[in-house]
Amino acid sequence: MSADKKQYHQPQQPADLNQEFMTVQETAFVLRCGMAWLRQLLRDNPQLCGRNGQGHGGRIITDREQRAAIHAIRSAGDPRVGRPLPRQRRMRWTS
């Protein structure tokens, strides 16, 4: 991956934490979540984001209410069905 495209896959600190609109990278930084998880969530729930600009659908942005809804989903726990928490891995003892 080239250096100029790498910025789109890493959370970035916003200039102002209280700004109305944020990009996906800034939203991931503020909510302390991964970019892949956030993009998948926004793909499954298009009402949680907006688009700004032209070309390829425009830049994905979120406002304060949408970030609060994303935070509520993230705080609800593990979304996987049938298991309240991820299964713990066991250590293997080798001799």
Side-chain angles (χ1 to χ4, degrees):
M1 185 180 319
S2 65
D4 59 336
K5 289 187 179 181
K6 196 172 191 176
Q7 69 179 349
Y8 297 112
H9 301 285
Q10 298 293 324
Q12 296 176 354
Q13 185 173 4
D16 180 17
L17 292 175
N18 294 321
Q19 63 192 17
E20 177 69 26
F21 296 102
M22 291 187 185
T23 64
V24 176
Q25 295 85 3
E26 293 169 341
T27 302
F29 182 89
V30 169
L31 296 177
R32 295 184 180 148
C33 63
M35 288 291 300
W37 180 86
L38 183 58
R39 286 184 187 275
Q40 181 66 40
L41 178 75
L42 296 178
R43 190 175 305 121
D44 294 342
N45 301 292
Q47 72 277 9
L48 295 178
C49 67
R51 299 274 179 171
N52 184 13
Q54 303 281 340
H56 299 293
R59 177 174 261 186
I60 301 171
I61 58 171
T62 60
D63 62 16
R64 287 186 182 118
E65 291 82 22
Q66 292 166 335
R67 286 192 299 274
I70 294 168
H71 176 69
I73 291 171
R74 183 167 160 74
S75 299
D78 192 5
R80 290 178 270 194
V81 178
R83 217 180 265 173
L85 293 173
R87 184 172 55 199
Q88 298 294 319
R89 294 186 180 189
R90 295 181 144 190
M91 292 179 50
R92 290 187 175 190
W93 298 98
T94 59
S95 36

